[in-house]
């Protein structure tokens, strides 16, 4: 942040988490659909019974209710009205976070020994705030503290877990302007206590990645900071500041939403962001979708070249978007995750990685994990069935034959597979009962075909008239 932005932010009590939005999307006739998203703060208060820690113009230090929202105002000392005007280092802010958690525990639990043992805190962070959370969990001087051990879950919006790149280069260490060197990977390894050979985007065994959710923005165009310079330097495959591939930690569940890094159309001020947050914190089932292929066809002319012993190379795009059935109240349809080529977030796999793993130097096929999303059966509005759709598209990149790009018969927009799969999962005392139907071909109101459930997973057959065959494996696991 610039100094002016810091002072504007510290002048508000909730540091941006109280900001909402009123515009959702354009309708078919060009009108903008109005949707009042009140903010993550207000929604947590209204839907989950949280209260904030402010009272009579100050932060309450005693007798907080268990479900309290407390803002870690780590930039206050950088505001000359509140501090010495010096910006805190990441590690200093992490130390303050540890101390804040200690204060909250005292305010909620008092001297009750059992309550203090059972105390847990969820951390919800935007951008650099996520690195402060990681410093608490990973820095060698903090990670063994009682407070670090009592972190239950972490949810990050648009955090540069693997640093920030501008024009393709990691920001330099010497660039102290606006704290940009905080996102240099060598500096990050210092405050995260990572060895030189370790990837920066790892929790390094100090926190369970299953309890660490990364929300990734894919819309760089709406980010107007620095008169659009940040967006232009970060490029297409970013949220306007953080590259898509840099916004996750290894092994963590993640979702991709078409939002920018901040502002009125930003990732924090979005229905998609809140729905992922609420389901991760309070949902009770996680569903992971993995696509496994038996046959991946080639166009006839490419197959002919392969039969003639020519060297054929190709990679494949996998697009997957997951949307739960709306719960009513005018919220409309939203995507929990949206991975598309147009958003630069589709999954890419090489042919050999999937179909000939030994040739690619792999022990087993590298099948694409399409999504891992949390659902909440408490949100079911009819009966005991969770309903969601999966939009699945498989397409090929350009083909290369004997080292030459093959253009002659390339058809723009051609897909190997395209389908919207509706999944109905019903929970009972006997376990899950799962049905699916293919609603590009039949009405979505039908109950669909029942799927066999084996070891907590069911298989959705996937096939196209072009010869693609495989299965979408859905793993249903308890969450929370």
């Amino acid at each position: 942040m610039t100094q002016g932005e810091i002072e504007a932010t510290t002048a508000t009590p909730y540091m941006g988490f109280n900001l909402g939005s009123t515009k959702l999307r354009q309708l078919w006739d060009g009108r903008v659909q109005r949707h009042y998203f009140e903010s993550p703060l207000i929604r947590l208060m209204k839907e989950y019974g949280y209260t904030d820690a402010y009272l009579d113009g100050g932060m309450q230090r005693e007798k907080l209710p268990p479900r309290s929202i407390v803002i870690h105002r780590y930039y206050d000392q950088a505001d000359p009205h509140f501090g010495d005007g010096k910006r805190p280092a990441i590690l200093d802010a992490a130390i303050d976070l540890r101390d804040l958690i200690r204060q909250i525990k005292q305010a909620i639990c008092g001297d009750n020994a059992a309550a203090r043992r059972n105390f847990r805190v969820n951390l919800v962070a935007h951008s650099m705030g996520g690195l402060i959370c990681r410093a608490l969990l990973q820095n060698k001087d903090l990670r063994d503290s009682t407070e670090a051990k009592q972190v239950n879950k972490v949810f990050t919006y648009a955090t540069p877990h693997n640093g920030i790149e501008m024009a393709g280069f990691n920001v330099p260490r010497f660039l102290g302007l606006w704290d940009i060197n905080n996102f240099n990977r060598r500096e990050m390894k210092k405050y995260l206590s990572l060895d030189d050979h370790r990837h920066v985007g790892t929790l390094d065994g100090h926190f369970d990645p299953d309890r660490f959710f990364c929300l990734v923005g894919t819309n760089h165009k709406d980010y107007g900071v620095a008169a659009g310079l940040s967006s232009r330097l970060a490029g297409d495959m970013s949220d306007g500041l953080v590259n898509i591939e840099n916004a996750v930690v290894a092994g963590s569940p993640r979702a991709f939403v078409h939002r920018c890094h901040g502002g009125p159309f930003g990732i924090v001020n979005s229905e998609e962001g809140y729905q992922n947050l609420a389901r991760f914190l309070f949902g009770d089932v996680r569903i992971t979708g993995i696509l496994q292929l038996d046959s991946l066809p080639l166009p006839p002319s490419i197959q002919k070249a392969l039969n003639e012993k020519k060297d054929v190379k190709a990679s494949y795009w996998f697009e997957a978007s997951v949307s739960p059935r709306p719960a009513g109240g005018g919220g409309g349809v939203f995507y929990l995750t949206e991975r598309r080529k147009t958003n630069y977030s589709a999954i890419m796999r090489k042919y050999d990685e999937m179909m000939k793993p030994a040739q690619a130097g792999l022990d087993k096929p590298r099948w694409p994990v399409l999504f891992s999303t949390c659902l909440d059966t408490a949100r079911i509005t009819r009966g005991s069935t969770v309903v969601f759709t999966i939009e699945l598209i498989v397409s090929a990149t350009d083909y290369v034959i004997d080292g030459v790009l093959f253009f002659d018969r390339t058809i723009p927009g051609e897909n190997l597979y395209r389908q919207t799969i509706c999944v109905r999962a019903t929970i009972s005392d006997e376990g899950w009962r799962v049905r699916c139907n293919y609603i590009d071909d039949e009405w979505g109101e039908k109950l669909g075909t029942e799927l066999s459930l084996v070891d907590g997973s069911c298989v959705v057959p996937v096939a196209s008239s072009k010869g693609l065959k495989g299965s979408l494996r859905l793993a249903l696991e308890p969450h929370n």
Side-chain angles (χ1 to χ4, degrees):
M1 289 187 174
T2 65
Q3 186 60 34
E5 288 169 335
I6 288 175
E7 293 180 21
T9 302
T10 56
T12 64
Y14 301 107
M15 307 288 282
F17 281 101
N18 60 319
L19 299 179
S21 62
T22 60
K23 298 177 181 179
L24 184 62
R25 62 172 64 88
Q26 282 191 323
L27 301 174
W28 65 270
D29 59 1
R31 291 182 296 114
V32 172
Q33 182 179 353
R34 190 189 302 269
H35 174 73
Y36 294 116
F37 174 65
E38 302 98 318
S39 76
L41 182 88
I42 294 176
R43 290 289 286 275
L44 287 171
M45 291 177 172
K46 291 172 66 172
E47 297 177 15
Y48 293 97
Y50 276 84
T51 59
D52 66 358
Y54 295 125
L55 181 68
D56 296 330
M59 188 157 78
Q60 194 172 349
R61 303 286 181 180
E62 297 178 351
K63 297 181 180 178
L64 283 175
R67 288 200 169 192
S68 293
I69 296 175
V70 181
I71 306 298
H72 178 29
R73 298 179 55 89
Y74 60 85
Y75 259 139
D76 271 4
Q77 74 176 64
D79 185 334
H81 296 108
F82 298 139
D84 58 11
K86 182 181 178 182
R87 295 167 184 244
I90 293 282
L91 185 54
D92 292 334
I95 292 170
D96 289 344
L97 175 58
R98 179 202 60 190
D99 295 343
L100 178 60
I101 293 173
R102 187 178 298 161
Q103 294 170 19
I104 296 168
K105 179 165 62 176
Q106 179 63 35
I108 289 175
C109 304
D111 297 326
N112 185 316
R116 295 179 70 85
R117 270 195 316 274
N118 295 326
F119 173 83
R120 295 292 183 272
V121 61
N122 294 320
L123 303 180
V124 180
H126 175 233
S127 196
M128 192 170 79
L131 298 179
I132 293 171
C133 295
R134 284 185 60 192
L136 171 66
L137 300 173
Q138 293 183 244
N139 183 271
K140 58 184 176 59
D141 295 325
L142 296 175
R143 63 195 182 204
D144 294 324
S145 65
T146 301
E147 290 72 29
K149 299 297 183 184
Q150 290 186 314
V151 173
N152 179 45
K153 292 182 180 179
V154 182
F155 185 98
T156 63
Y157 295 93
T159 289
H161 290 293
N162 189 39
I164 286 180
E165 295 176 14
M166 289 292 164
F169 296 94
N170 185 212
V171 292
R173 300 176 69 189
F174 62 81
L175 192 58
L177 181 66
W178 304 334
D179 296 323
I180 291 175
N181 55 358
N182 281 329
F183 312 113
N184 173 270
R185 293 188 186 103
R186 290 177 65 184
E187 291 297 313
M188 293 173 71
K189 287 183 177 182
K190 289 182 181 179
Y191 58 74
L192 296 176
S193 297
L194 289 168
D195 295 337
D196 285 341
H197 69 281
R198 298 293 284 159
H199 188 275
V200 176
T202 176
L203 296 173
D204 203 27
H206 299 295
F207 193 79
D208 182 0
D210 274 342
R211 295 189 286 125
F212 198 112
F213 194 101
C214 301
L215 192 65
V216 184
T218 64
N219 181 7
H220 74 288
K221 295 180 180 178
D222 284 339
Y223 195 53
V225 166
L229 180 62
S230 172
S231 173
R232 289 193 295 274
L233 289 174
D236 291 335
M237 300 175 68
S238 75
D239 62 9
L241 180 64
V242 181
N243 284 14
I244 291 171
E245 63 180 11
N246 290 340
V248 297
V249 295
S252 68
R254 73 281 305 262
F256 298 76
V257 297
H258 196 51
R259 293 282 183 161
C260 66
H261 189 77
F265 295 99
I267 193 168
V268 177
N269 310 321
S270 68
E271 187 71 31
E272 303 96 322
Y274 173 74
Q275 294 293 347
N276 275 287
L277 171 66
R279 283 165 169 78
F280 178 65
L281 293 183
F282 311 113
D284 55 1
V285 59
R286 179 182 294 176
I287 300 181
T288 303
I290 302 176
L291 187 64
Q292 299 178 341
L293 298 173
D294 302 315
S295 174
L296 193 53
L298 295 170
S301 55
I302 307 297
Q303 185 64 52
K304 179 175 181 292
L306 186 64
N307 294 341
E308 294 171 352
K309 307 301 182 183
K310 294 183 179 180
D311 182 48
V312 176
K313 300 293 185 186
S315 294
Y316 295 84
W317 294 110
F318 298 89
E319 303 177 65
S321 301
V322 178
S323 181
R325 181 168 62 184
V333 175
F334 59 86
Y335 291 105
L336 286 173
T337 187
E338 188 177 8
R339 306 197 71 167
R340 301 184 189 274
K341 285 194 295 184
T342 53
N343 297 346
Y344 304 97
S345 58
I347 304 166
M348 178 186 275
R349 289 288 185 273
K350 295 178 181 177
Y351 180 90
D352 288 354
E353 289 180 302
M354 300 178 289
M355 312 306 287
K356 297 180 179 180
Q359 196 164 303
L362 301 173
D363 295 331
K364 58 183 180 180
R366 188 171 173 242
W367 301 122
V369 179
L370 302 178
F371 60 87
S372 182
T373 191
C374 300
L375 299 173
D376 189 353
T377 57
R379 292 173 173 263
I380 295 173
T381 54
R382 283 187 196 169
S384 55
T385 300
V386 174
V387 182
F388 63 97
T389 59
I390 306 161
E391 298 174 28
L392 176 58
I393 302 173
V394 182
S395 59
T397 62
D398 293 322
Y399 298 96
V400 175
I401 301 176
D402 286 342
V404 178
L405 196 60
F406 183 79
F407 282 118
D408 292 355
R409 299 183 187 179
T410 299
I411 306 299
E414 182 174 13
N415 297 312
L416 297 175
Y417 180 85
R418 183 178 187 123
Q419 184 61 259
T420 304
I421 302 166
C422 180
V423 179
R424 288 176 167 83
T426 305
I427 186 66
S428 67
D429 293 339
E430 290 76 34
W432 287 100
R433 183 181 182 187
V434 183
R435 298 184 181 92
C436 85
N437 59 334
Y438 305 92
I439 61 176
D440 283 353
D441 302 327
E442 56 186 346
W443 295 112
E445 295 176 354
K446 294 184 177 181
L447 290 179
T449 304
E450 186 163 351
L451 305 174
S452 299
L453 198 65
V454 179
D455 295 330
S457 294
C458 58
V459 173
V460 179
V462 171
S464 75
S465 59
K466 292 179 179 177
L468 182 143
K469 291 182 180 179
S471 58
L472 172 59
R473 183 173 296 276
L474 301 178
L476 288 80
E477 304 170 278
H479 182 63
N480 283 331

